[in-house]
Amino acid sequence: MTGYAYTILIPMIPLVMFLVTGLLGMKWKPIVSGLLGTIGMGTSWVLSLITAGSYFFGGHHAEGFQTIIPFETTWLRFTETLHINIGVLLDPISVMMLVVITTISFMVHLYSLGYMKGEKGFARFYAFLSLFTFSMLGLVIATNIFQMYIFWELVGVSSFLLIGFYYTKPSAVAASKKAFIVTRFADLGFLIGILILSFVTGTFDFGKLTEPGTAIFGSAASMSFMGISALTWAMTLIFIGGAGKSAMFPLHIWLPDAMEGPTPVSALIHAATMVVAGVFLVARMFPVIHFQAPDAQEIIGYVGGFTSLFAAVIAITQYDIKRVLAFSTLSQLGYMMLALGVSGYGGEEGLGYMASMFHLFTHAMFKALLFLGAGSIIHAVHSNYMYDMGGLRKYLPITHITFLIACLTIAGVPPLSGFFSKDEILVAALHHNKLLFAVEFLVAGLTAFYMFRLYFSVFWGKDRHYHHTPHESPLTMSIPLMFLAVASVFAGFLPFHHLVTSDKMGFDTEMHMAVAAPSVLIGLFGIAMAWILYKKESAVPEKLAQRWGILYTATYNKFYFDEIYLFVTKKIIFNYISRPIAWFDRHIIDGFMVGIGLVTEKIAYQIKGMQSGQLQHYAFMFVAGTLALALSLVYFLM
C-alpha cells in the first residue's frame, strides 16, 4: 500500500497551483500563471499514468483487482461505525478516472495557452482550472460517499466560476447561475439520499457499502415508505444528484447554456469530467443499486435511454457548433447511463457496466477533441454559427483532419474507439431490454447524421467571404488536437473487459456481428444523408425544415423546456408561493418583531421617570415599597 502513497500528490498539486496562481497571479506576467498551471497539471498527469500502469499491469490479478487505500484519516466521528473519513481510494474505476481527468485537463491547460492568450483574467482562468481539477480528482478518489459529496459541491462551485468567467457578459452570468441552481436542486436529492443510506446502514464507507453480500443491509428490508423500500428511495435520490451533474432529462437545461464559458472550459467540464461525475456516481454505487434497489436501476436505464434520444433529435436542428456538441454530450451520457441501467453483476452479465466505463473513457477523448477543434474553428472565424462557416478545410488542415477523426469516432466507424465502446453498450441493451436497444440503435444513426451535418457545413460547403483569411491555430492548440486524435483512434484497443468490470474480475468478450454490422450500417446511412444534404450548399435542408413545420420549430427551440421552466418558476412559484411567503415574512413575522420593539419602547418611556437621579424620588419609592410589602404581609397573615 505504501507504494501508492505518492497518489495524494495527484490532487494536491492542482490545489497548490490554484493557491499560487490565485494569490500571486496578478503580480507577474500572465503567461507565468499559464505555464505554472500547465506544468503542475502535466506532473499530475504523469503520476496518474504511473499509477494506472502499476495498478493495472504491475502484478498478477487472477483473483481480481484489489481496493487500495494508501491514505486515510478520520475527520468527523459520530458513532463507532458512523464517521466521515478523508482519504484516497484506488480501484479500477477511480484509477481510470484519474487518467481521464488529468489527461483532458492537461490538454486543456496546454491548449488554453494559445486560445486564452491576451484575455483579461488569464491568471484567474488558470486558477479556476486548477481548482476544478482538484475538486474532480478529490471526488473520484473519495473513500466514502460523504467525502464525495464535499468534492461534488466544490465541483459545482468551480463550474460556476468557469462558466461565468466572462462576468461582464450578461448571458455568461445567467448561464453560470442557471447551472448552479439546477444542480443544487439535484444535489439536495443527493444529500437526502446519503442521509437515508447512512441511517439504514450506519456507514458512509464505500468499502462496506459496495461489498456484495454485506450484512449491513439486513435490517433495511423491513424499512419502507409509501410501499417503496428505504434503499430504493435512497438510491433514487442519489441518482437524482447524478442526473443533475450529468444533465439527464429533465435536469438537462443547464448544459447547453453552459457553452457561454470559454471553449476550453466546455472541453474540460462539459465533455470529459464534470458531466461524467453522475455516471461515475452510479458506477461507484452500482452493487448497492443492482442488488438492493433494482427498481432504481430500471429508472436509470429508461432515463438514460430517453435522454439519449431526446438530445440527439435536438442536436439535428442547432446551428451553434458548441450547442450541437453540448446536445451530443447529453446523448452520449444517456448511452452511459442506459448501459448501467441494463447491466448485471459479474462476468459477462456485467457487460453493461464495463461498456459504460469504456464509453466514458473513449468519449472523453473524442468529445474533448471535438470541443477543442470547435475552439480552433471559432478562433479562426470569430463566430460560433455554422452559417458563418464553410470551406475551412483549405485554411485549417490540422483542425480539419483531427475533427474528421473525432466525427468518425463518435459515429461508430470501425476500427476507431467509439465503435468498440458503443457496440458493447448495444449488445448489453439487446440482451436485457429490446426497447432500449431499439432506441440506442436509432440514436446511433442520428449521431452520425448530426455530427457530419456539422462537419460538412464547417469544412465543405460554400467558401464564405471572411473578413480576414482564416489560419491554423498555434502549436499550443494544435498539439492537444493531434494527441487527442491519436487517443481517439487507439483507445478502443484497450482491453477494458479485463481492466474495469463490475466485480473487478476480468472476462472475455467477442465481436457480435449481428449487432456491430447493423450499427455500422445505420451510422454510414446517417453520414450519407449528411453528405447529400450538406456537402454542397443547397436549399433542400431549408425546404425540409419548412415541410416539418411545427415539429422542426419545436425541436429547434429545444421543445420549449426553458420556457416551461421559466413559466413554472416565475408565474407559479414566484407569484403563488414566493410572494405570499414574502408577504407573511414582511407583515406577520417582521410586524410581530417590530411590535415587540414598539411595546418595549413605550413601556420604557413610561417608566423612565423612575430613574430620575433625584434622591427624594428614590427615598419615596423605597418607603412606598416597604409600606406595600408590610401591608401585604399583614393582609396574608390575618
Side-chain angles (χ1 to χ4, degrees):
M1 291 187 183
T2 55
Y4 291 98
Y6 66 87
T7 51
I8 190 66
L9 295 175
I10 297 174
M12 293 308 295
I13 292 172
L15 176 61
V16 171
M17 290 300 104
F18 161 67
L19 295 173
V20 171
T21 54
L23 296 174
L24 304 176
M26 298 297 291
K27 297 183 178 180
W28 50 48
K29 292 182 179 180
I31 191 64
V32 176
S33 296
L35 291 174
L36 279 175
T38 304
I39 292 169
M41 198 63 253
T43 305
S44 290
W45 179 52
V46 171
L47 292 175
S48 296
L49 292 177
I50 292 171
T51 303
S54 175
Y55 183 83
F56 286 123
F57 306 108
H60 183 63
H61 301 293
E63 298 180 359
F65 290 98
Q66 301 299 310
T67 297
I68 300 171
I69 302 179
F71 168 79
E72 188 172 35
T73 183
T74 299
W75 179 39
L76 294 174
R77 182 175 292 278
F78 302 107
T79 67
E80 189 63 32
T81 57
L82 188 61
H83 47 83
I84 301 174
N85 293 351
I86 300 292
V88 175
L89 183 152
L90 300 179
D91 69 348
I93 59 171
S94 64
V95 173
M96 180 268 293
M97 286 299 295
L98 285 179
V99 174
V100 168
I101 295 166
T102 55
T103 299
I104 303 305
S105 186
F106 178 52
M107 292 300 114
V108 168
H109 275 72
L110 181 60
Y111 181 92
S112 299
L113 291 174
Y115 189 88
M116 299 297 291
K117 185 179 180 180
E119 286 278 4
K120 184 180 178 181
F122 187 86
R124 175 168 55 90
F125 177 78
Y126 270 89
F128 291 166
L129 281 185
S130 296
L131 175 63
F132 172 81
T133 306
F134 162 70
S135 307
M136 194 67 202
L137 289 169
L139 187 157
V140 300
I141 60 174
T143 60
N144 60 84
I145 197 167
F146 214 95
Q147 179 187 343
M148 177 185 277
Y149 181 77
I150 293 168
F151 283 98
W152 187 275
E153 294 303 308
L154 195 53
V155 165
V157 172
S158 307
S159 67
F160 171 79
L161 295 171
L162 285 167
I163 295 167
F165 176 77
Y166 297 122
Y167 59 86
T168 58
K169 188 179 176 184
S171 58
V173 174
S176 63
K177 290 192 293 185
K178 186 176 184 180
F180 193 76
I181 291 169
V182 172
T183 53
R184 292 294 72 70
F185 275 105
D187 292 351
L188 175 61
F190 187 13
L191 178 60
I192 296 171
I194 291 173
L195 296 177
I196 295 173
L197 182 65
S198 62
F199 176 78
V200 170
T201 63
T203 184
F204 295 118
D205 187 73
F206 282 135
K208 296 176 182 177
L209 288 171
T210 59
E211 181 183 352
T214 182
I216 61 174
F217 298 107
S219 61
S222 60
M223 299 183 185
S224 64
F225 177 69
M226 296 176 63
I228 301 173
S229 72
L231 283 172
T232 299
W233 279 113
M235 290 300 102
T236 303
L237 288 165
I238 288 172
F239 168 64
I240 289 173
K245 275 287 189 291
S246 290
M248 293 289 102
F249 179 89
L251 300 171
H252 65 283
I253 59 169
W254 67 268
L255 186 65
D257 287 13
M259 298 300 109
E260 292 291 342
T263 301
V265 170
S266 302
L268 179 63
I269 293 181
H270 310 120
T273 50
M274 173 183 168
V275 290
V276 299
V279 178
F280 175 82
L281 171 63
V282 175
R284 172 61 75 202
M285 300 302 297
F286 183 76
V288 184
I289 294 170
H290 180 69
F291 290 111
Q292 309 297 334
D295 291 339
Q297 185 178 6
E298 190 170 356
I299 291 170
I300 291 167
Y302 280 104
V303 169
F306 182 82
T307 302
S308 184
L309 178 60
F310 174 80
V313 170
I314 295 176
I316 293 172
T317 62
Q318 302 303 301
Y319 286 94
D320 182 327
I321 61 174
K322 288 174 67 176
R323 289 184 184 273
V324 173
L325 296 179
F327 282 105
S328 171
T329 299
L330 283 174
S331 184
Q332 298 302 305
L333 290 168
Y335 258 111
M336 299 173 207
M337 283 293 191
L338 177 146
L340 290 169
V342 299
S343 180
Y345 185 86
E348 291 189 25
E349 283 296 309
L351 178 64
Y353 179 98
M354 185 279 293
S356 178
M357 296 299 98
F358 194 11
H359 200 59
L360 186 157
F361 186 84
T362 60
H363 175 264
M365 303 305 162
F366 61 71
K367 187 53 67 64
L369 174 57
L370 286 167
F371 270 109
L372 295 184
S376 184
I377 295 164
I378 294 166
H379 187 265
V381 302
H382 304 291
S383 174
N384 286 29
Y385 293 97
M386 292 154 58
Y387 45 68
D388 292 329
M389 303 168 188
L392 286 176
R393 70 188 186 282
K394 296 179 290 187
Y395 305 104
L396 310 174
I398 296 174
T399 302
H400 170 232
I401 295 300
T402 54
F403 201 89
L404 175 59
I405 290 171
C407 289
L408 290 169
T409 306
I410 195 173
V413 175
L416 306 178
S417 61
F419 162 73
F420 293 104
S421 56
K422 185 188 71 174
D423 180 65
E424 301 287 14
I425 292 175
L426 291 173
V427 171
L430 180 63
H431 288 168
H432 290 84
N433 191 310
K434 301 295 190 295
L435 174 61
L436 292 179
F437 167 77
V439 168
E440 293 313 308
F441 184 75
L442 174 60
V443 171
L446 295 175
T447 301
F449 175 75
Y450 68 66
M451 285 310 306
F452 275 87
R453 168 182 176 265
L454 172 59
Y455 166 74
F456 288 126
S457 298
V458 171
F459 293 103
W460 294 78
K462 184 179 179 180
D463 194 347
R464 307 295 176 185
H465 296 291
Y466 300 106
H467 295 297
H468 62 280
T469 303
H471 59 83
E472 187 58 87
S473 301
L475 276 178
T476 52
M477 296 170 65
S478 297
I479 289 173
L481 295 179
M482 292 185 282
F483 176 89
L484 291 170
V486 173
S488 298
V489 172
F490 293 105
F493 294 102
L494 285 172
F496 248 69
H497 53 285
H498 290 306
L499 303 177
V500 182
T501 60
S502 57
D503 61 352
K504 302 183 179 68
M505 297 283 291
F507 62 91
D508 293 326
T509 61
E510 58 183 17
M511 183 69 66
H512 294 75
M513 293 305 297
V515 173
S519 70
V520 170
L521 289 175
I522 196 171
L524 293 176
F525 177 75
I527 295 172
M529 292 300 297
W531 173 290
I532 293 168
L533 294 174
Y534 296 101
K535 186 174 183 290
K536 293 182 179 180
E537 190 169 6
S538 72
V540 176
E542 186 67 27
K543 290 179 180 178
L544 287 174
Q546 292 175 359
R547 183 174 298 176
W548 284 99
I550 190 171
L551 181 59
Y552 176 86
T553 304
T555 306
Y556 177 75
N557 289 287
K558 298 165 284 188
F559 294 103
Y560 300 100
F561 267 89
D562 288 290
E563 290 77 7
I564 292 170
Y565 271 95
L566 283 174
F567 175 80
V568 171
T569 53
K570 286 189 174 183
K571 300 297 184 181
I572 299 177
I573 296 177
F574 288 179
N575 284 341
Y576 298 105
I577 299 176
S578 299
R579 287 184 188 278
I581 290 174
W583 183 92
F584 183 83
D585 179 67
R586 188 181 308 111
H587 292 88
I588 306 301
I589 304 298
D590 287 356
F592 178 72
M593 299 308 296
V594 169
I596 291 174
L598 289 173
V599 170
T600 303
E601 184 181 5
K602 190 169 185 178
I603 293 172
Y605 181 80
Q606 295 294 327
I607 66 173
K608 69 178 182 179
M610 298 173 63
Q611 298 290 331
S612 64
Q614 296 182 11
L615 183 61
Q616 58 269 34
H617 286 173
Y618 294 157
F620 173 77
M621 295 298 296
F622 176 76
V623 172
T626 303
L627 286 173
L629 285 172
L631 290 173
S632 298
L633 286 170
V634 171
Y635 175 80
F636 284 111
L637 290 173
M638 288 182 66

